[in-house]
Structure formats: structure tokens, C-alpha cells
Amino acid sequence: MTHRFSLGIDLGTSNSAIAVTDLESDTTELVEVAQVLRPGQIGDIATLPSALYVAHPDEFPADAFTLPWNESADRLVIIGQFARDHGALVPDRLVTSAKSWLSNPHIDPKDPALPWKSEIEEKKLSAFDCSRLYLQHIRDAFRHGEAAKAKGWELAEGQIVLTVPASFDDVARNLTAEAAEAAGLGKVTLLEEPQAAFYAWTQHAGKEWRTQVSPGDIVLVCDVGGGTADFSLIAVNETDGELELERISVGEHILLGGDNMDLALAYTLRAKLETEGKSLDAWQFLALVHAAAKAKVALFDDAALAAAPIAVPSRGSSLFAGTVATTLERSMLEQVILDGFFPKTAVSDMPREGRRVGLQEFGLPYAADAAVSRHLARFLSRSLANVKASEKLAALVGAAADAKDFLAPTAVLFNGGVFKAAVIRERILGLLTAWNDGKPVRELQGFQPDLAVAKGASVYGRNRATGKGIRIKAGAARSYYIGLESSMPTVPGFTPPVKAVCVVPQGMEEGSQLVIEGKEFGLITGHPAEFRFFSSEVRSGDTPGQILADAEGELEETSRLEVNLPTLDDLSTGPAVPVQINPVITELGTLELWMKHTKSDRRWKVEFTVRTE
């Protein structure tokens, strides 16, 4: 089918956005999203806050939140700006960071558990449900928007690209794609967010992008948004006079971003108020977080300001009399944000681990160390280990692979709302320069911190649909493995280590598959069996079929699945069925794992959609 447009969707942790490219005129523009601004008022704004509010049945009139496209919508579920703002006052009814819950390895993302720790009587939602509802809202907002109506676009005529963090494992990636299909978007193409930011930068820079990078460059895409920190490295090469780009490393999934910074400011301001004899209740503290976020933006936007006012109202009858006032001074801002989250550390300083308490409160696995600097140092040191593990990658980066401590980028592309602040960008550039023995690391000009991911996804979709434009070579971001039970005699008091077989090598390209030849495995069918999956960001040299002797010691476990694979009528359910492993990475960027019967053309699919522990 010939596509008429490309739709890019940034399903963000804190905010979501959409952009569309008209393939006829080759123009890209943002699509404002209609949403509830307050009861009885609908408005179009640039982003859709990734927030969902579960209203009490008697809280609002029945027609308070009627959207243009669905008069019969569930009036108890509100999405967007009003959900975020009103939900801050009633936090036990507010869902935020559903995307982080989608990637949480400790829960079933289809389990209705959100709002987390809430005791509301209304039905709760799963992380999958929330993602589906956000995407459904985005779908409807686009279909009823001016651009789609004016040009008569139907969703089926579009190349739809949905972004995911580079650090997402394949369970989270596949669930995101499944949520999009359940939302009525069809089969979407997945694209890593740092890559999307790079595509947006090339379009914004036009032909000039080729003058800002050159063969031998290693570009760090540094993406710190509201809830996550995501790092990627892209190598620039040249073949027959044409620049080529290849993503060579991605970071771990780090729950650390602007929301953490706002919370840190609020705690610091509360301590200041308490020294003045003023106290805040729980509701006022939430209002303080909101006020601190606004004051932070004001100070970072205007370097001439020495301080920004903070006003926290009370819920009492005398609103003015109950207001608590203070100020956020620039010195406090820089102490909390720059020194706390972006301290001047050495490249050898790694993130500190949290204390191992015997019993922990269950929830999102937030980063134990708030210093983005140390997480970045860890990423760059692991990136060096990754390129050294592969002759191909080592040759691609050249002399940089001979470094001792870390893979040094030569240029940085910033992304995410945190980097709107020039002083934070300067701190990162200063750190990288200091780590690189004083050799400057340049900033790529023309970044768009809030909306680049949606724009870049749309540009990438244009490139896919037309076959024109640049493509970043990427493929699988990490190597994947499946646990293997050892075949050895039972020894009292000794548990043999779990082996692992490499099923997907790092860099395996979209639209490709392989069969691991020369190795036969026994597959249990007909009753429940456990599959354990592992991955690695630093073993780029491992090959399909390679067996590691100690999976738990050498790899990161990503999920455990308990499944009951169906038997086939003419196959015995007693002994294990002989199979070969047949991994597939689809054109859409999702991973499928098949077990192929060695004596026929029959296969079993092991789904990457559920986690159990």
C-alpha cells in the first residue's frame, strides 16, 4: 500500500507528543492534542501529559469531560493536563509513570495495580491498560484533528512509528507494540527514542548536519526526560564518500529524571520552611513540588533572576491567610540540581548502590544514586567493553577502542526537557571534556528538547515509506540468551549453574531471522515449564548458539516465563521434543522466539509478553 503520511508518536513517561509528515509535500509538523483542561473545557496543546485520573463516580457532572470524538467515553477515566493537575491534589486517584511500570521486571504489566498503593474502590488499571488508553487518546486526537480532516487522511494510509526507550527490554517493547494494536493503531514500527532525536536533528539541520559530524565521530545522544535517563552512542563512518551511521551502544534503564529533581527541590524548600517554624501537610507538599518545578524553569530560563517566588496555598476557608510563601534562590537551585544530580565526578566514579535492607517497600525500581554524572560514566565504560568484545565494532570506532577507561564521545546531542537549561548542558560538556584529558567535546547545534522524539519518529517513518533519507544501522540493542538446564548427574548439596545459549546477537537487524544450526535442544510440551531469559549490553561478540557456562554470573536476567506449550498429536509428551531455536526480529522491530521441530516444519512460539517471578 502507498502511504500518504507518516505519523510519529512519542509515548513519554511524563508527556506524550505526536508529529506528522505529509509525504506529498514532505513537510513535518507537530499535531496538537485535544484534551480536558478543566471540567467543561477542551483545548488543544502541544503535548499530552502521560497522566490518568480515576474520578469518583460522584465527583464531577456526567457531561464534564465529553471529548469531541466520543460522547460515551468512560467519564471516570480522565487523561491529560487536567488529570495531571487535579490528580496532584488527589494522588491516590492519579496514575503517572505507567511506562516505567510497563518495564518493571517485578510485576505482571497486565495486572490491574494502578494507581499504586491506592485503596480506591473503583476498578484499578494495569500499566498495559494505561498505555493503551494514552495511545487510544492520541489516535482519536489525530483522527479528529485539523490536519487529518483537511487532507482526508485515514490511519490505514499512514506509516505509524512509535518510540520506546533504547533501554527497554524486549518484553516491554513487545507490550508497547501490543498496546498500540489494542488501541486501534494497527501494527506499528518501533524506534528507539535517542535515534528518533537524532533523526529530528538531521531534519532540523538540513544539509548542514553533514558539516557538524564527520567520519570517526562518536555521537553521544544524552536523553534525560521527566522520568528516565537514556544514553546511546552512534558512530559515524564513510563508505564510497557517503556518511553512514550505526548505533553501537545503549544504556541501562535508569529511572532518574526531571521529576526526581523537582522532588529534591521540594524537600529542600520544606526543610527551609521548617527552620522558619512553618509546616506543611501532605496536600501542601504536593503543591510545593508543583511550585518548585515552575520556579526551577523560571530561573533556568532567565539567567538574570536571582530568585523565584514560591506560594503554597492551604485548603482552609481562608485561602490567603493560609498561604505559605518562600523563595527558591539560584544558589539553592544550583546546589540541589547541579551539585546533586550533575556533580563534577571522575570517569572512574560509578553509581553508588543502595543499602541492602532485608525488607523493601515494593514499587518502581528507582535509581539508588541520583548523580546522572556517575550513570553516564558507567555507560561510557561499559560501552568500551562492548566495542572491545566485537572485532567489527572495534574496527568501526578505530583508535577509540584502544582507550583504557571509557569510550569517549566526540560530540553530544542533547534531548529531553532537563536539557533546556543551558547550565546543565554546559556541566555535561565540561564533565566529558575533563574525562577526555581536556580535549573538548562539541555540542551538536539545533536540538529540540521536548518534541524532537515525535518529530524524529515521523521523519524516520517518511524515510521507511519512501526509501529516501538516512538510516541509522541499529538492530538488536543487546544480545539475548535463553537459560539452559545442565545435563549432568545429580550431586548431593550441589546445584549446577544455569547455562545460557545466545539466541539473538547484538546488532541482529530488523526483518531478519536465523536458525541455530548444529545444535539440538529438548523442548518440554504438554505441561507447565519455566523459561528464563537473559541479556547483555556488553557482549557484542557473542554468536548465535554460543553457550555460556554461568548465566547468572555473566548476564542480566530480564524475565522468567512459565508457559504450557501445546503438544502435537503425533508427538510424545514424555521425553523432550527435539527442536532448533529460530529467533526472528520483525520489520516492525519486535523479537519473536520460535522453537522449530527438527523432524518436521512445526514450530512453537515463546511469547515475550508476560513476566513471572
Side-chain angles (χ1 to χ4, degrees):
M1 176 182 178
T2 301
H3 294 105
R4 297 180 61 196
F5 65 91
S6 168
L7 182 65
I9 302 174
D10 171 16
L11 182 62
T13 306
S14 301
N15 291 283
S16 298
I18 52 179
V20 65
T21 298
D22 185 333
L23 298 184
E24 183 177 347
S25 62
D26 199 25
T27 55
T28 301
E29 62 182 19
L30 290 167
V31 179
E32 293 192 329
V33 184
Q35 57 197 281
V36 177
L37 303 183
R38 57 183 58 90
Q41 181 182 355
I42 307 296
D44 297 344
I45 57 177
T47 60
L48 176 74
S50 303
L52 183 150
Y53 182 76
V54 182
H56 186 277
D58 301 325
E59 192 172 357
F60 300 105
D63 59 350
F65 306 112
T66 302
L67 291 164
W69 52 81
N70 193 352
E71 296 184 358
S72 62
D74 185 351
R75 68 185 182 91
L76 297 184
V77 175
I78 307 162
I79 291 170
Q81 180 169 302
F82 179 73
R84 179 193 63 193
D85 295 346
H86 182 71
L89 309 179
V90 195
D92 60 335
R93 292 183 171 274
L94 175 66
V95 176
T96 57
S97 300
K99 181 175 174 179
S100 297
W101 285 102
L102 196 67
S103 62
N104 188 341
H106 304 297
I107 69 164
D108 179 348
K110 292 187 176 180
D111 180 39
L114 304 176
W116 186 250
K117 294 197 298 185
S118 171
E119 297 181 1
I120 61 172
E121 296 179 358
E122 290 75 26
K123 183 178 179 180
K124 289 189 175 184
L125 299 163
S126 69
F128 179 86
D129 292 330
C130 295
S131 299
R132 173 183 59 80
L133 289 168
Y134 295 152
L135 290 168
Q136 186 173 301
H137 187 112
I138 287 170
R139 178 205 67 182
D140 291 334
F142 171 73
R143 290 171 59 191
H144 290 79
E146 292 182 6
K149 284 185 175 180
K151 298 181 180 181
W153 286 336
E154 298 291 337
L155 274 176
E157 299 173 311
Q159 170 77 62
I160 302 178
V161 178
L162 175 60
T163 63
V164 292
S167 53
F168 256 14
D169 64 27
D170 268 82
V171 178
R173 288 173 64 95
N174 287 12
L175 282 165
T176 304
E178 185 182 343
E181 189 169 6
L185 289 168
K187 299 285 188 181
V188 300
T189 299
L190 299 181
L191 176 67
E192 294 170 12
E193 290 163 6
Q195 288 187 56
F198 196 93
Y199 282 115
W201 170 75
T202 60
Q203 189 215 37
H204 183 75
K207 295 180 180 179
E208 295 300 314
W209 78 267
R210 289 179 172 83
T211 66
Q212 291 198 48
V213 296
S214 56
D217 270 330
I218 300 174
V219 180
L220 166 67
V221 184
C222 192
D223 184 354
V224 182
T228 57
D230 207 5
F231 307 120
S232 286
L233 287 177
I234 296 173
V236 183
N237 198 12
E238 185 178 36
T239 301
D240 298 328
E242 293 290 328
L243 289 182
E244 292 185 342
L245 306 169
E246 183 165 346
R247 189 260 289 121
I248 58 174
S249 181
V250 300
E252 301 160 284
H253 197 58
I254 305 169
L255 295 186
L256 178 63
D259 294 346
N260 303 71
M261 299 173 197
D262 297 340
L263 193 60
L265 286 172
Y267 277 117
T268 305
L269 287 166
R270 185 172 71 175
K272 175 186 175 184
L273 288 168
E274 288 174 346
T275 62
E276 299 169 358
K278 303 171 185 176
S279 61
L280 302 178
D281 60 25
W283 179 88
Q284 286 178 306
F285 181 73
L286 291 173
L288 179 62
V289 175
H290 191 63
K294 287 187 173 181
K296 175 193 70 177
V297 171
L299 288 172
F300 278 142
D301 284 350
D302 187 349
L305 285 179
I310 298 283
V312 181
S314 116
R315 285 195 290 184
S317 58
S318 177
L319 183 63
F320 181 76
T323 298
V324 177
T326 186
T327 57
L328 174 62
E329 292 84 10
R330 183 169 297 278
S331 58
M332 178 185 290
L333 175 74
E334 293 184 351
Q335 179 183 4
V336 173
I337 304 299
L338 289 182
D339 298 341
F341 289 87
F342 301 92
K344 295 179 180 179
T345 57
V347 72
S348 57
D349 292 342
M350 296 291 107
R352 302 185 184 119
E353 293 187 6
R355 290 184 60 190
R356 297 291 183 181
V357 180
L359 194 63
Q360 298 180 344
E361 185 177 31
F362 191 56
L364 285 173
Y366 292 108
D369 191 334
V372 176
S373 311
R374 288 190 279 268
H375 290 286
L376 178 57
R378 174 175 165 83
F379 165 67
L380 294 175
S381 66
R382 287 170 65 85
S383 296
L384 179 62
N386 189 55
V387 299
K388 284 185 174 181
S390 164
E391 291 183 3
K392 173 180 173 292
L393 292 183
L396 187 66
V397 302
D402 298 328
K404 179 182 177 183
D405 298 316
F406 73 110
L407 189 60
T410 57
V412 183
L413 176 64
F414 291 107
N415 190 58
V418 166
F419 291 118
K420 281 184 176 181
V423 66
I424 298 180
R425 301 199 303 273
E426 291 166 2
R427 174 58 61 89
I428 291 291
L429 291 168
L431 276 168
L432 292 170
T433 298
W435 294 347
N436 203 23
D437 296 328
K439 186 177 181 179
V441 177
R442 65 190 185 279
E443 176 184 355
L444 297 184
Q445 300 300 314
F447 83 110
Q448 303 159 291
D450 277 343
L451 304 168
V453 169
K455 287 183 178 179
S458 182
V459 170
Y460 172 74
R462 185 275 310 270
N463 295 356
R464 280 180 63 95
T466 64
K468 302 176 182 177
I470 65 164
R471 291 285 293 272
I472 301 171
K473 294 181 181 178
R478 46 184 60 79
S479 304
Y480 286 94
Y481 310 77
I482 188 168
L484 197 62
E485 184 177 326
S486 299
S487 176
M488 61 178 295
T490 301
V491 177
F494 174 73
T495 302
V498 176
K499 295 181 179 180
V501 57
C502 178
V503 293
V504 175
Q506 188 181 126
M508 183 175 169
E509 296 182 356
E510 292 90 349
S512 66
Q513 64 174 302
L514 57 88
V515 175
I516 298 177
E517 303 284 359
K519 292 184 184 294
E520 188 175 85
F521 302 93
L523 180 69
I524 303 299
T525 63
H527 54 83
E530 182 183 68
F531 290 86
R532 296 178 68 179
F533 296 96
F534 302 84
S535 68
S536 175
E537 299 148 3
V538 297
R539 298 185 63 94
S540 57
D542 287 355
T543 56
Q546 181 174 337
I547 294 178
L548 278 63
D550 183 5
E552 293 169 313
E554 300 179 68
L555 304 170
E556 175 186 354
E557 186 164 9
T558 56
S559 59
R560 298 189 187 192
L561 311 183
E562 186 174 290
V563 294
N564 189 343
L565 296 176
T567 60
L568 298 180
D569 294 338
D570 54 347
L571 295 177
S572 170
T573 61
V577 178
V579 294
Q580 289 178 306
I581 300 176
N582 173 207
V584 177
I585 297 186
T586 70
E587 288 282 358
L588 305 177
T590 56
L591 171 62
E592 296 178 353
L593 190 61
W594 294 84
M595 302 293 171
K596 182 178 180 298
H597 186 215
T598 58
K599 303 186 186 326
S600 72
D601 59 356
R602 299 174 185 180
R603 299 189 303 170
W604 290 262
K605 184 180 181 182
V606 180
E607 297 279 4
F608 281 78
T609 55
V610 180
R611 298 183 182 91
T612 61
E613 290 203 355

